[in-house]
Amino acid sequence: MTTVILADLLPVTDDCDDWDVAACRGDKHPDRWFPDPSEPLDYAASVCACCPIAAACGDYAVATHQSGVWGGREYRRGTMVR
């Protein structure tokens, strides 16, 4: 079984300095960032609540049509669902 950490899922960009300060960086529970619709997103939202780039993270999700929890909100293909 291969272990994936959340940092492996963060995007690679020309300006990756922002992602270096992400509160989720190094999180060992990547599945909590991609909850099923019936699962709570409390864990991810609590980590995002203290993140200095939460707003930029949500903007990134919208701009690049991401799914999962980004900036404390859940998105599906770039549309906020909760």
Side-chain angles (χ1 to χ4, degrees):
M1 179 177 187
T2 303
T3 301
V4 177
I5 60 171
L6 191 60
D8 296 336
L9 303 175
L10 293 174
V12 176
T13 64
D14 292 337
D15 184 19
C16 63
D17 291 339
D18 287 346
W19 296 110
D20 289 340
V21 298
C24 61
R25 190 142 187 96
D27 190 282
K28 294 182 177 153
H29 305 286
D31 55 315
R32 294 183 183 173
W33 299 89
F34 302 95
D36 288 331
S38 62
E39 293 179 323
L41 57 98
D42 297 348
Y43 173 82
S46 68
V47 173
C48 294
C50 64
C51 184
I53 63 163
C57 189
D59 292 345
Y60 175 83
V62 172
T64 59
H65 308 285
Q66 297 296 317
S67 294
V69 178
W70 295 83
R73 301 288 188 165
E74 185 177 9
Y75 294 85
R76 287 215 181 90
R77 297 184 179 139
T79 301
M80 187 187 325
V81 293
R82 59 177 171 155

